[in-house]
Amino acid sequence: MARVPSAVVAATGLVGGYGVARWTKKRQLGGAVLAVAGAAAAQQWRARAGGKAAGALSAAYVAAFAGSHPLAKKVGAWPSVLGVAGAVAVASWAVADRRG
């Protein structure tokens, strides 16, 4: 089975969590998507780059989620979510995925 890069998992968690919350109008469901994808990405980060890197990337994931809210007031919801998801994906690739 092909390996899904952690960058894709993390970005999908941010975008998918927002999309699910928006379309179902159930924030808790979107939060569950965000949490499950974040946990899956964290496992990959730990396996590929070690505990310190996984901790830093997990913090970036949570900060991206939190930071998307004030950013959305300036640029709109979808541009904000896509922007922070892209930033987390780039960080994830640079730290964990490009190694192998």
Side-chain angles (χ1 to χ4, degrees):
M1 183 154 96
R3 178 179 83 126
V4 177
S6 62
V8 173
V9 174
T12 300
L14 289 161
V15 173
Y18 174 68
V20 167
R22 181 173 176 132
W23 289 313
T24 64
K25 303 204 185 314
K26 296 187 187 305
R27 293 177 68 177
Q28 299 87 346
L29 191 56
V33 170
L34 180 80
V36 168
Q43 280 186 318
Q44 289 180 315
W45 294 328
R46 183 180 242 246
R48 294 178 188 160
K52 287 183 182 182
L57 289 168
S58 294
Y61 185 81
V62 171
F65 167 70
S68 70
H69 292 82
L71 182 60
K73 292 179 181 178
K74 297 182 185 299
V75 300
W78 277 112
S80 172
V81 170
L82 294 173
V84 300
V88 169
V90 167
S92 180
W93 177 82
V95 173
D97 292 336
R98 77 176 169 162
R99 294 179 183 201

